[in-house]
Amino acid sequence: MGSEIAAPAFFTRDVLATTPTGGGGLVGREQYLAALRELLDRAADGNGSALVLRGAAGIGKSALLAAVRDAALERNLTVLSAVGVENEAGLCFAALHQLLHPLLPEAVKLPLAQQRTLRAAFGQEEGGPDLFSVALAALQLIGEAAAQQPIVLIIDDLHWLDPASADALSFLARRIGKDAVFVLAATRAGQGDPADRAGLPDLVVEPLPEDAAAELLQAQAPTLTTTARQRLLAQASGNPLALTELPRALRHSGTDRVGEDFPLTARLEAAFAARSAELCPAARTLLVVLAADVGCELRRLLSAATELAGAPVTADHLQDALDIGLVELSGAGMRFRHPMMRTAIYARAPLTQRLGAHSCLAAALADFPDKQLWHRAAATLGTDDSLAAELEAFAERSRRRGAIMTAVNALHRAAELAERPERTTTLLLGAAELASEIGARREAQDLVDRANPSALGPIDRARLATVQEVIAFSHYDPENRMLELVDIAGDVHRAGNTDLAAELLWRAASRCFFQDAAAPARTAIAEQLDLLDLPAQDPRRLAIEAYTVPWDRGPAVLDQLARLTPDRSDADTMRYLGYAALFLGDLRRGSAYIDAAAGVGRNQGRLGLLAGILGAGNWSRIWLGEWDTVRAETEESRAFAAETGEEFYGVAGRTNLAMIAALRGETELAEDHLREIHASPMAVGMRCIQVTAQQTRGMIQLLAGRAEDAFATLRRVYDPADPVSHPMRRWWIAAELADAAVAAEKVDEARQLLAELPALAGRLPAPMLLVVDEYSRAVLAADDDADTVYAAALTSHVGSWPLYRARLQLHHGRRLRRLRRMAEAREPLRAARDGFDALGAAPWAESARIELRAAGEASTRRAANARDQLTPQELQIATLAAEGLTNRQIAEKLYLSHRTVGSHLYRIFPRLGITGRVELAAALESVAA
């Protein structure tokens, strides 16, 4: 839906009429009704929830939706309804407009920017808001209304919603926990939809039990013979629609047999088609036009049907269609009483009549250009370049608004209409690129499969390669694929497209990080990069060099990073710089760049970008001691990954959560995360994930006192042939290896494994390498040198990293106590205890207390702080509020309802023992210490 849509196809408070199960009502559905009423009660009490009903066609999902609607109206709750319309799947935000239309007068309560976002999304003013900005504005609008009166959102035929609306509603449904809103949707079993991808809870609607099916059939057809009754019960298999419609088909056929050799769906569709055959030609024409656009208002339907029939189609013909029970009035239009009725009418109409219906509808919808465009496309056989160009322009408008799958569908249809094979291939690749951006890998692969490889020039071949890196990353041998990408980059560079060549080299370099690579592949990438002649400070160049040849060019990259003053408003620039810095071990600089990229991504609604940088980018912050930030942002990342289809980052985020759980002594939780990582196909062959998971396993064993197991686990990381090894990250684990070596009395072996580290840290003086080098040398030092080495480390790089400083202080105190230097041991042990308490590192803090007691000093238990009282998200909200952000500003930053933020703060204050925002900063001080 674009600028042409001024009003929804239909909207009323009772848009969902009872499903055609007839007078039998909801026989045998007591358990479903009880569950739904409980959720309705929760919404009425101010606790939001969402549920998706799944089941076969005709199973009674719509009847359950209607029952909830009626129950909500009886309580005087606000009910907003929408129905997925197959013909409107190509129109941006059509269903969302249908749903929200009754609330739009209340949009004046929203901030001006969100008012404009909704008006632009619904075609009431110019603009191209991104999908998630629209979704957030819709969330705020519903939240405002729910604060006045609880709301029930009912969406039928979810699988036919336009993709933009479906994604927006899925986003909304995940975030209404603190609003008085109940989101209830229904979809066909086995149909892919955003609710499934986003992990919304569902309830499968099963066929009726035998006794309930017999009761319903008796109510529908009490005069059936015993033989006919048994046959119908067997054929219907508990499907309520079949139990209603098949008896009617028997009456019309004059026999007791109904197509028993065909599947149930086909029998039902045949029954519906047979019923329509009773109508006069004009009424049948009206049904075909309705089947071509069930969202069209009645006036236009009658006009289009009249043009198609060549004779007046009037209200009398409409009444005839109503009388046979196939359709019903609904708001400003009419609708089929069941989707299968629409399918039966449309599929059995002659091709020329279907094409004519779309052509006549296009004429009737001249004031709705986008809708008219889709009907013109549906009315066209063969090719039409001008129409393909119009669809391409529509796709670009949809892309700018964040309605990516709408754009994909438009490009796909444009490709079918294009006259030249190379044009078809270009359009299909464009569609595949967009699909791959949002993680729709299956759709992207289907589009790629339709492209003609023989029509590919250098540019399109390069575009195809980038898409394949997203949708089929694991299908290639890493080494060969990197070299292939280098060759394609060379071809496209010679064809004049340096940016695309750089993108291909970044893809190849990323494989060096994810999977590792031998020297020939790394050298080939670096040499091709040099041929691009990018400026030395180009962010892409710095990232590619860091990932590909870190030991050779890393020092120069670090130098460039230190001298750059980048454009912090460019998310991609900051992302490249952040990744380069993080990979080389300049963690603080890299985290600052990643924060800047995340800020821009939040402002632009780029949830796919956020899924990646908040998930994978937060591993480094663990070692800076920023555990609460890591937990909160990783949980955000996992939610964004689910919504955008970026499954890999959901798995990568688990490595963050597993390590933090291990460091905090939450061993069972850490093990659960590791099991999920191990079970995920996304982790197979990904050394960047495997090495972090191995480090976490070693940490769990180390903190559990299983030193020998920990050492054996961690030493594997130093074998380059082992799949858990990583060429850069293995050196970051030197501290854990040293800890395990001392505890397992394998100091000499650890020294051998880490023998290269001092030279590497000198060659590439990144902070992380310097820290782990200083730390491991101190821990593994001989007693004669220990005092000097410890003092040097604690006053150098290690001293400014809280986690490593506390760990080294614990080692130092333990060593001094072992040497009977009790008084000297107490000071570092106290500092270690306090440092671990501030971090929340319970196992280490307890070790420090035990050592202190052994050194002759009692140690009190750690006092509770804000971290103990709040969830990661609550701590995130409290921190932002303490910084002075308003509830609305926090909501926009975290993609929440501002009322949800207010509800969180209402619960946060008493837990922290405070009464208002002005006290938050002081209450949170202990966490930041």
Side-chain angles (χ1 to χ4, degrees), residues 18-22 24-27 29 55-63 157 188 205-208 212-213 216-217 220 232 235-249 251 258 264-272 275 325-326 335-344:
T18 52
T19 196
T21 50
L26 296 182
V27 175
R29 296 307 193 198
I59 208 67
K61 303 181 296 296
S62 295
D157 290 334
R188 291 266 185 94
V205 181
E206 302 286 356
L208 289 173
L216 178 56
L217 182 59
Q220 293 295 308
L232 283 176
Q235 290 180 353
S237 300
N239 185 294
L241 183 65
L243 291 166
T244 301
E245 294 299 331
L246 292 182
R248 191 176 290 183
R251 289 195 295 272
V258 182
L264 177 60
T265 300
R267 291 200 298 274
L268 285 170
E269 289 182 357
F272 296 142
R275 203 188 310 172
L326 287 177
R335 55 175 276 182
F336 287 98
R337 289 179 60 84
H338 193 277
M340 275 197 290
M341 297 175 180
R342 181 259 169 198
T343 303

Side-chain angles (χ1 to χ4, degrees), residues 305-575:
T306 294
E307 182 181 350
L308 182 61
V313 177
T314 67
D316 290 336
H317 300 115
L318 168 62
Q319 187 61 54
D320 291 343
L322 294 171
D323 289 343
I324 66 170
L326 287 177
V327 296
E328 60 193 7
L329 292 176
S330 179
M334 64 177 179
R335 55 175 276 182
F336 287 98
R337 289 179 60 84
H338 193 277
M340 275 197 290
M341 297 175 180
R342 181 259 169 198
T343 303
I345 299 300
Y346 190 81
R348 285 167 171 74
L351 174 62
T352 54
Q353 191 177 35
R354 295 202 302 269
L355 296 175
H358 287 294
S359 182
C360 293
L361 283 164
L365 292 165
D367 48 342
F368 298 118
D370 286 356
K371 211 172 182 187
Q372 182 190 57
L373 175 62
W374 280 101
H375 279 298
R376 287 172 55 210
T380 302
L381 286 178
T383 60
D384 186 328
D385 261 347
S386 63
L387 189 54
E390 290 184 61
L391 283 167
E392 187 178 14
F394 170 77
E396 176 57 22
R397 294 197 299 275
S398 300
R399 184 197 64 78
R400 289 198 303 266
R401 297 164 69 182
I404 301 299
M405 285 308 299
T406 299
V408 169
N409 293 335
L411 288 175
H412 187 188
R413 181 63 181 130
E416 293 173 335
L417 291 166
E419 295 177 1
R420 302 185 311 280
E422 62 272 20
R423 179 74 177 135
T424 295
T425 295
T426 297
L427 290 166
L428 287 172
L429 279 178
E433 285 171 331
L434 291 178
S436 67
E437 284 181 12
I438 60 170
R441 291 173 175 80
R442 184 177 64 251
E443 292 85 349
Q445 184 64 64
D446 180 63
L447 290 160
V448 166
D449 290 343
R450 293 171 185 267
N452 179 8
S454 65
L456 297 179
I459 303 296
D460 281 346
R461 184 177 173 226
R463 293 172 63 201
L464 175 61
T466 61
V467 172
Q468 289 171 326
E469 282 298 280
V470 175
I471 64 178
F473 184 90
S474 61
H475 294 178
Y476 299 96
D477 172 71
E479 295 285 334
N480 290 334
R481 181 58 172 174
M482 285 182 236
L483 295 173
E484 182 181 9
L485 291 172
V486 169
D487 287 343
I488 298 172
D491 290 342
V492 76
H493 176 54
R494 287 186 287 274
N497 195 326
T498 299
D499 288 338
L500 189 50
E503 172 65 20
L504 285 165
L505 293 181
W506 167 244
R507 298 285 183 181
S510 296
R511 283 184 175 269
C512 294
F513 168 61
F514 291 130
Q515 300 174 312
D516 195 14
R522 293 176 180 273
T523 301
I525 296 169
E527 289 176 348
Q528 184 61 57
L529 177 65
D530 291 339
L531 294 176
L532 300 189
D533 201 26
L534 297 174
Q537 69 275 18
D538 188 295
R540 296 167 298 179
R541 177 173 194 137
L542 296 175
I544 294 167
E545 289 180 329
Y547 274 29
T548 307
V549 281
W551 305 114
D552 296 329
R553 302 191 186 184
V557 172
L558 289 174
D559 182 60
Q560 287 286 350
L561 291 172
R563 292 190 286 112
L564 276 176
T565 54
D567 178 5
R568 292 179 176 269
S569 66
D570 186 327
D572 292 320
T573 290
M574 301 312 294
R575 176 171 59 96

Side-chain angles (χ1 to χ4, degrees), residues 8-72:
F10 51 82
F11 64 93
T12 63
R13 286 167 66 89
D14 51 311
V15 67
L16 292 171
T18 52
T19 196
T21 50
L26 296 182
V27 175
R29 296 307 193 198
E30 292 78 12
Q31 63 180 16
Y32 299 110
L33 290 172
L36 293 171
R37 286 180 183 132
E38 181 179 345
L39 294 176
L40 190 61
D41 289 341
R42 283 175 49 82
D45 292 338
N47 297 302
S49 59
L51 183 70
V52 179
L53 300 179
R54 298 185 185 276
I59 208 67
K61 303 181 296 296
S62 295
L64 291 169
L65 297 183
V68 170
R69 177 213 60 192
D70 292 342

Side-chain angles (χ1 to χ4, degrees), residues 43-381:
D45 292 338
N47 297 302
S49 59
L51 183 70
V52 179
L53 300 179
R54 298 185 185 276
I59 208 67
K61 303 181 296 296
S62 295
L64 291 169
L65 297 183
V68 170
R69 177 213 60 192
D70 292 342
L73 292 176
E74 286 175 8
R75 302 183 191 199
N76 201 33
L77 306 184
T78 298
V79 178
L80 303 175
S81 302
V83 179
V85 178
E86 191 173 9
N87 315 83
E88 293 187 350
L91 302 178
C92 299
F93 301 117
L96 186 67
H97 189 202
Q98 185 188 147
L99 185 76
L100 296 184
H101 192 277
L103 294 184
L104 292 182
E106 302 299 311
V108 294
K109 297 178 181 178
L110 299 180
L112 185 59
Q114 291 187 337
Q115 293 181 45
R116 289 174 174 168
T117 291
L118 288 177
R119 287 199 297 269
F122 299 149
Q124 295 164 350
E125 69 175 55
E126 289 300 316
D130 67 87
L131 186 148
F132 293 108
S133 294
V134 174
L136 183 60
L139 175 66
Q140 305 294 8
L141 178 63
I142 289 170
E144 292 285 357
Q148 305 302 316
Q149 185 179 43
I151 289 179
V152 181
L153 304 179
I154 297 178
I155 304 105
D156 204 357
D157 290 334
L158 179 65
H159 51 283
W160 278 337
L161 258 62
D162 64 278
S165 293
D167 284 331
L169 289 170
S170 177
F171 174 96
L172 184 152
R174 292 174 65 98
R175 290 165 171 80
I176 44 79
K178 302 300 179 183
D179 290 308
V181 179
F182 178 28
V183 180
L184 180 62
T187 188
R188 291 266 185 94
Q191 298 284 330
D193 53 60
D196 188 28
R197 188 175 73 222
L200 294 179
D202 60 12
L203 179 64
V204 177
V205 181
E206 302 286 356
L208 289 173
E210 290 183 12
D211 56 344
E215 180 183 346
L216 178 56
L217 182 59
Q218 175 63 26
Q220 293 295 308
T223 62
L224 282 177
T225 65
T226 300
T227 300
R229 184 178 307 281
Q230 291 175 344
R231 181 175 291 117
L232 283 176
L233 286 172
Q235 290 180 353
S237 300
N239 185 294
L241 183 65
L243 291 166
T244 301
E245 294 299 331
L246 292 182
R248 191 176 290 183
L250 284 179
R251 289 195 295 272
H252 286 293
S253 67
T255 176
D256 65 351
R257 304 179 71 84
V258 182
E260 58 193 51
D261 294 332
F262 298 97
L264 177 60
T265 300
R267 291 200 298 274
L268 285 170
E269 289 182 357
F272 296 142
R275 203 188 310 172
S276 69
E278 305 170 18
L279 297 172
C280 69
R284 289 201 301 273
T285 299
L286 177 61
L287 290 184
V288 173
V289 173
L290 175 63
D293 191 343
V294 296
C296 190
E297 65 179 359
L298 191 54
R299 175 177 56 85
R300 296 176 195 270
L301 281 174
L302 292 172
S303 173
T306 294
E307 182 181 350
L308 182 61
V313 177
T314 67
D316 290 336
H317 300 115
L318 168 62
Q319 187 61 54
D320 291 343
L322 294 171
D323 289 343
I324 66 170
L326 287 177
V327 296
E328 60 193 7
L329 292 176
S330 179
M334 64 177 179
R335 55 175 276 182
F336 287 98
R337 289 179 60 84
H338 193 277
M340 275 197 290
M341 297 175 180
R342 181 259 169 198
T343 303
I345 299 300
Y346 190 81
R348 285 167 171 74
L351 174 62
T352 54
Q353 191 177 35
R354 295 202 302 269
L355 296 175
H358 287 294
S359 182
C360 293
L361 283 164
L365 292 165
D367 48 342
F368 298 118
D370 286 356
K371 211 172 182 187
Q372 182 190 57
L373 175 62
W374 280 101
H375 279 298
R376 287 172 55 210
T380 302
L381 286 178

Side-chain angles (χ1 to χ4, degrees), residues 694-695 698 710-718 733 736-737 740:
Q694 191 73 359
Q695 184 179 6
F711 187 80
T713 295
L714 295 169
R715 76 180 312 282
R716 286 181 57 191
V717 172
Y718 291 88
I733 301 172
E736 287 70 56
L737 184 78

